[in-house]
């Protein structure tokens, strides 16, 4: 019993010392808006929480204009033309396919249809009916089915399997319409995870993608999910996959950031390790991701994905100035990990942004000292 009391005393002493240490280092906490000690993100030109766009990780005005036109007129042809003019092997085409599919899925959820009522997302059905040989429409339809499975059914249930089998068939149809297009196979990666492909089946699918787009960041992020511990792999398998991708990444490729995504996917639900976010494995992954965004093309559409995840890790690691540097680039859009895992992505992002601003100012920073 005496040993128990001693241990409890040591824990309490450690907690007190930690609080003193954090105060001396300028550590921060959250206070109510309007509090005298509250840092104001607006002083840095950041968007207000209600103005944050939760649909995309970064700007794509052409996509937003076409999405608005399609949803307003229910005419698919704008989406058809935009995809036809987007490079097949590029990251942006994959993001646009996801966005169109997501818009149709959300419309259907909001307006499921009934007696005398047209269901939402009707423009996608018309697209497939009027242009059955259009590769873009086929890819969007396949991704739409995948999103429907994850959103409306429980993994492992009969309903989930039925929709996923339909999505698998749709991926095959899309692949036949555009043999060199990696998108149908990238869509199928989510099917493989949901239906539990064997490792041999998954590897065969993965080779088809590598033959068409070996350095596709979106494809690697989708494949990483399969190798994670929560699905069909393990922590070590996911780390090995991510590290191999980073090792073979060409100069200027964001694949060097893959280990950071692997670390994120295997974060402990309850962190009892002091300094975990300053640990060697996290620090190494963060440095790899920082190097990736600094050397990548400024117009690489996957940059925003990496920068959003960097904000999460940099704030957790109390690297305030570096977090602020990322925020100046990505602020305004929050449609990326880790925020999309929250029921309110904008609010989750706003909390981390407020912490970054407060930590930055607590350590002598100000709007005048932040480079843009």
């Amino acid at each position: 019993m005496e040993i128990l009391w001693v241990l409890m005393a040591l824990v309490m002493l450690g907690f007190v010392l930690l609080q003193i240490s954090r105060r001396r280092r300028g550590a921060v906490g959250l206070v109510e808006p309007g509090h005298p000690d509250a840092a104001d993100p607006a002083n840095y030109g950041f968007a207000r929480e209600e103005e944050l766009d939760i649909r995309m990780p970064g700007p794509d005005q052409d996509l937003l204009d076409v999405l608005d036109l399609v949803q307003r007129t229910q005419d698919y042809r704008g989406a058809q033309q935009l995809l036809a003019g987007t490079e097949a092997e590029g990251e942006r085409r994959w993001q646009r396919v996801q966005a169109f599919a997501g818009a149709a899925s959300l419309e259907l959820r909001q307006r499921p249809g009934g007696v005398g009522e047209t269901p939402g997302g009707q423009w996608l059905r018309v697209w497939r009916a009027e242009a059955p040989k259009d590769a873009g429409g086929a890819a969007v339809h396949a991704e739409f089915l995948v999103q429907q499975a994850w959103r409306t059914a429980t993994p492992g249930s009969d309903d989930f399997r039925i929709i996923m089998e339909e999505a698998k068939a749709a991926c095959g149809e899309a692949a036949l319409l555009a043999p060199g297009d990696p998108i149908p196979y990238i869509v199928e990666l989510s099917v493989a995870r949901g239906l539990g492909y064997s490792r041999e089946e998954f590897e065969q699918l993965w080779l088809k993608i590598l033959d068409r787009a070996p350095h596709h960041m979106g494809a690697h992020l989708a494949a990483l999910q399969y190798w994670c511990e929560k699905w069909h792999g393990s922590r070590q398998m996911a780390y090995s996959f991510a590290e191999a991708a980073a090792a073979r990444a060409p100069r200027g490729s964001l694949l060097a950031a893959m280990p950071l995504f692997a670390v994120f996917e295997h974060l402990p639900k309850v962190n009892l390790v002091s300094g975990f976010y300053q640990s060697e494995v996290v620090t190494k992954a963060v440095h790899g991701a920082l190097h990736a965004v600094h050397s990548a093309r400024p117009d690489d559409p996957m940059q925003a994905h990496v920068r959003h995840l960097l904000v999460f890790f940099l704030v957790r690691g109390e690297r305030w100035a570096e977090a602020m540097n990322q925020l100046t680039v990505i602020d305004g859009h929050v449609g990326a990990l880790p925020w999309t895992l929250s029921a309110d992505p904008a609010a989750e992002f706003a909390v981390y942004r407020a912490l970054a601003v407060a930590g930055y100012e607590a350590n002598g920073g100000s709007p005048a000292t932040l480079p843009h």
Side-chain angles (χ1 to χ4, degrees):
M1 190 68 180
E2 291 180 0
I3 294 176
L4 179 60
W5 282 110
V6 170
L7 289 174
M8 291 178 63
L10 288 173
V11 169
M12 293 300 295
L13 177 61
F15 178 78
V16 172
L17 291 176
L18 176 62
Q19 300 309 307
I20 294 172
S21 172
R22 287 173 62 86
R23 290 191 183 98
R24 287 177 178 173
R25 289 188 287 114
V28 298
L30 291 178
V31 296
E32 293 294 326
H35 189 281
D37 293 333
D40 189 356
N43 293 336
Y44 296 83
F46 293 148
R48 296 189 327 208
E49 182 179 328
E50 59 268 26
E51 298 171 340
L52 294 170
D53 191 327
I54 65 173
R55 295 170 294 179
M56 298 184 300
D60 185 346
Q61 194 58 48
D62 289 341
L63 173 60
L64 288 178
D65 292 343
V66 171
L67 266 175
D68 177 68
L69 177 66
V70 168
Q71 294 187 303
R72 182 163 35 86
T73 65
Q74 291 295 296
D75 187 338
Y76 68 86
R77 286 174 291 183
Q80 182 183 37
Q81 292 169 5
L82 183 64
L83 285 183
T86 307
E87 181 189 8
E89 296 80 14
E91 306 282 356
R92 197 171 296 281
R93 180 179 171 85
W94 170 230
Q95 291 189 4
R96 288 173 173 177
V97 165
Q98 288 181 297
F100 286 129
S105 179
L106 183 59
E107 282 185 39
L108 182 59
R109 182 178 180 179
Q110 294 172 338
R111 301 194 310 278
V115 179
E117 181 185 5
T118 301
Q122 184 67 18
W123 54 269
L124 179 54
R125 297 180 185 83
V126 175
W127 187 356
R128 293 297 293 132
E130 294 186 354
K133 301 299 183 182
D134 181 65
V140 172
H141 179 239
E143 173 64 17
F144 165 80
L145 291 171
V146 166
Q147 294 195 26
Q148 282 294 99
W150 291 111
R151 288 178 176 174
T152 64
T154 303
S157 67
D158 289 342
D159 288 344
F160 181 83
R161 179 166 289 276
I162 289 170
I163 301 173
M164 277 298 188
E165 291 288 359
E166 187 180 353
K168 182 179 180 179
C171 289
E173 293 174 15
L176 288 175
L177 291 172
D181 188 351
I183 300 299
Y185 300 104
I186 298 175
V187 175
E188 193 178 348
L189 289 172
S190 188
V191 176
R193 176 163 55 97
L195 292 180
Y197 280 22
S198 69
R199 289 176 186 171
E200 182 181 358
E201 291 175 310
F202 187 86
E203 291 286 7
Q204 290 174 354
L205 172 61
W206 184 238
L207 286 174
K208 292 176 183 177
I209 295 171
L210 292 182
D211 286 343
R212 292 161 175 80
H215 307 302
H216 198 287
M217 180 72 172
H220 280 79
L221 290 177
L224 175 66
Q225 291 292 316
Y226 177 90
W227 295 114
C228 284
E229 190 174 60
K230 60 187 174 183
W231 287 106
H232 307 293
S234 65
R235 179 192 302 265
Q236 188 53 51
M237 286 179 178
Y239 279 18
S240 295
F241 175 81
E243 288 164 3
R248 65 172 180 267
R251 184 177 180 84
S253 169
L254 287 166
L255 289 176
M258 283 297 299
L260 188 64
F261 287 87
V263 170
F264 176 76
E265 292 295 343
H266 294 87
L267 288 176
K269 291 183 179 179
V270 179
N271 177 33
L272 300 177
V273 180
S274 177
F276 172 79
Y277 288 92
Q278 293 90 14
S279 66
E280 182 179 356
V281 65
V282 173
T283 299
K284 182 179 178 182
V286 166
H287 286 170
L290 286 170
H291 171 75
V293 295
H294 290 156
S295 58
R297 297 191 328 269
D299 63 343
D300 190 321
M302 294 302 292
Q303 270 221 40
H305 287 275
V306 180
R307 291 184 185 275
H308 278 288
L309 197 60
L310 274 169
V311 168
F312 172 87
F313 278 98
L314 292 170
V315 168
R316 289 291 187 99
E318 300 183 10
R319 297 167 64 167
W320 313 116
E322 291 170 290
M324 292 293 287
N325 288 336
Q326 301 304 318
L327 286 167
T328 61
V329 180
I330 60 171
D331 189 74
H333 297 83
V334 295
L337 286 175
W339 327 120
T340 50
L341 297 178
S342 169
D344 190 343
E348 185 78 1
F349 174 82
V351 167
Y352 276 77
R353 186 179 62 182
L355 285 169
V357 170
Y360 184 63
E361 293 185 352
N363 288 275
S366 70
T369 61
L370 183 65
H372 287 78

